[in-house]
Amino acid sequence: MSLFVVNRFTGEESKTESSVKEDRLKKLKEEITKRKEQRRQRKEPNTNIAVSSLSDQDCHSVQRSGKRKKKSGEDESFDSATEHDRKGTHGEPSVEKSVEIEDVEHLEGLPHASELNDESETVNHDDPNVIGGFSVLGNFQNKDLAPVKRALPDWLANPSVIKAGLKRQKIDRDVARESESDMAILDEDLRNKLQKNDISRFFPVQKTFIPVLLQDLKYGTFGGMQGLRPRDICVSAPTGSGKTLAFVLPIIQSLKCRTVPHVRAVVVLPVRDLAEQVYAVFKQYCAGTSLKVSTLSSLKLSFEPFMSKMCHLEGLYHSLVDILVATPGRLVDHISSTPGFDLTHLRFLVIDEADRMMEDIKHDWLSMLETSVVTPSALAYFPLKRSPSGPLNISRHIYIIFQLQKLLFSATLSHNPEKLQQLNLFMPCLLTSVVMEEPSQSHPQSSKSDQKEKMEGAEDKVSLIIFFQEYFVQCSVSEKPLLILHFLHYLKFRQVLCFTNTLEATHRLYLLVKLYGGIRVCEFSSRLQGEKRKKILKKFSKGQIDLLICSDAMARGMDIENVKFVISYDHPPYLTTYIHRVGRTARAGKAGTSVSFLEKSEIFHFKKMMRESGKWPKIQEMKINRNVLQPLVEPFRKSLGQLSSALKMERKKKARVNNKHADQG
């Protein structure tokens, strides 16, 4: 019995190959005949081509007929050459060689060259179904596609709109009684402090936000309404609209009756200067209460200031601070390194300038804070046992769970769900402000419909300043410093903030204006120490500084009094940068003016940004006659010549200081 089959040569292989080739040739002839017949039926009657039955010798002549059908007047030399190519060396048809070529083309699924030529001749270019030489199947007409709308979560798509405006509240005299009733939700002590600061009514964002938050605190800080977990709140309002007081007042009112001090509120801000400013507001309104406020925003890491506000009990640490204002970096340092730093009693987490803080989520400060809320510190005195947040179900509501509530504030709050998802918000609600215009008497219905459209698109716009004048000036790079001098010397601009894009540009422009003379100018940037920056801001608020040249570090949330003009010396790269720059003026309903210097190549990008915010029709071009700049050219050249020597002197002085420190080290 054989275990396997051995194929042996029987001498019939050549016969088998020839039979296979004949079969393939027969199939090819049938397919060619079929295709020719189909093309003949598609042609018009006057262009019909008779196709006879094919024999073995006529096969290749029919296949090559497409190449020979060029013109009616072809000469016989071309036919004889073609016939010579069709035959072999002895005058017989070279069938075997042709079959191999045709077989390869057929196996590869490619149409023969004759078919392509015949197809190209039979294409009807007047046919509307033929586009670019190809027949379009189905409905060939272009359809107008409906625009695709963003699918946003319900809380982003349907926000609570803050309808009132600062200008209307300031002018209308009939709202006095209504304002008194609005402020009645605050304690008498807080109302008296507001009156001392000449605040007799709520701003729109305060009027909307404070009742919403106090409603969650109706039965105490331990739980929200009916003991359920309180919703997180996001507020998008213009710069200078009173967002800081909106969260300061209800937090103080809810915590002032506490018995044992614990860290119950943490306010996180992106920069140190802004943290110091919010800390000062908390301290002002906490005066006369037992609440303690502290800040974690020093330039150098030091645990002694916060440790001094902790008491040592039975070998454990107990915090005497109730409200903590910090930057993300310092907050993380104290969570990981300060002994007894406990956040298990935390009730409020305020994230100011939330759009900027979302960029810092990658440093994992929020994850560390949420972990420390449910993880007691080993050396903390009387920590609170809290369970991690989970889904809403019956088992979790058998008893009241102490939960953390997040409050987000920004003038340019992102509506990107992917970014907001990083904040782990719980059933959030959005309060956003829209500029409401008074309906015209001639077209009241159309005005209301226009306002409705604006409100429906409110989630796509950033919150802008309610009213102030905006201009742009087209100029070259060399004309920018001359325009600054023209505004201050001839147009008498005073209390001006001038923004540049880099620290180097800030310092060079400061030295240049200082060397020109006649203007009280100062520089404000991260190169200066904190105390020196505070002194500069105080001088500017008192009117002792005419021009303050600064980088974008000043643009974020800083509340500077009496800013009348904002000049963007360098083109703002992003819309949010522009919004925060011009937000330093026209605060709290006051008037202000903004001027942007733009080169010719920057105007297109600037227009595009303003159209996205819906502000482009309101921005006017300020045209300056270049002849008025001529008297400034010669003194400016002298100042420019002195600039290089001043920079060299600074570099030498800095090198001497560095060498001195190196020798001492």
Side-chain angles (χ1 to χ4, degrees), residues 564-603:
K564 297 179 180 179
F565 299 93
V566 171
I567 296 177
S568 291
Y569 186 84
D570 292 328
H571 173 250
Y574 306 105
L575 176 61
T576 55
T577 304
Y578 175 82
I579 295 301
H580 285 286
R581 281 184 180 181
V582 301
R584 299 316 99 209
T585 186
R587 299 179 69 84
K590 298 179 181 179
T593 303
S594 169
V595 182
S596 299
F597 293 166
L598 302 175
E599 300 177 33
K600 187 175 181 179
S601 59
E602 297 171 341
I603 293 180

Side-chain angles (χ1 to χ4, degrees), residues 103 146 173 199 205 215 217 301 322 354 367 395 417 470 578 591 630:
D103 184 47
R173 304 294 183 182
I199 300 176
V205 63
Q215 185 70 18
L217 302 170
L301 178 60
D322 300 285
S367 177
S395 62
E470 295 176 89
Y578 175 82
Q630 290 300 323

Side-chain angles (χ1 to χ4, degrees), residues 141-157:
Q141 295 180 353
N142 295 328
K143 296 181 179 179
D144 294 334
L145 300 178
V148 179
K149 296 183 179 180
R150 290 193 304 172
L152 294 175
D154 184 67
W155 69 277
L156 282 176

Side-chain angles (χ1 to χ4, degrees), residues 519-531:
I519 300 173
R520 296 176 297 179
V521 60
C522 280
E523 174 188 8
F524 189 95
S525 65
S526 57
R527 294 184 178 185
L528 305 178
Q529 298 296 330
E531 293 298 327

Side-chain angles (χ1 to χ4, degrees), residues 33-46:
T33 305
K34 183 178 179 181
R35 293 186 180 181
K36 287 291 184 179
E37 185 65 23
Q38 292 176 353
R39 288 196 299 273
R40 187 181 64 80
Q41 294 176 359
R42 291 198 301 266
K43 292 179 181 179
E44 296 180 1
N46 58 353

Side-chain angles (χ1 to χ4, degrees), residues 168-205:
R168 179 181 177 183
Q169 278 203 354
K170 185 176 181 181
I171 297 176
D172 195 355
R173 304 294 183 182
D174 298 332
V175 297
R177 295 181 180 179
E178 183 181 353
S179 300
E180 292 179 1
S181 61
D182 293 337
M183 299 188 69
I185 60 176
L186 295 179
D187 294 340
E188 184 178 358
D189 180 54
L190 291 176
R191 294 200 302 268
N192 294 335
K193 290 177 182 177
L194 289 172
Q195 290 178 358
K196 290 181 181 179
N197 294 325
D198 296 330
I199 300 176
S200 58
R201 61 181 65 92
F202 282 149
F203 285 174
V205 63

Side-chain angles (χ1 to χ4, degrees), residues 499-507 525 550-552 570 581:
F499 286 98
T500 61
N501 288 343
T502 62
L503 294 176
E504 182 180 359
T506 301
H507 188 60
S525 65
C550 50
S551 60
D552 284 321
D570 292 328
R581 281 184 180 181

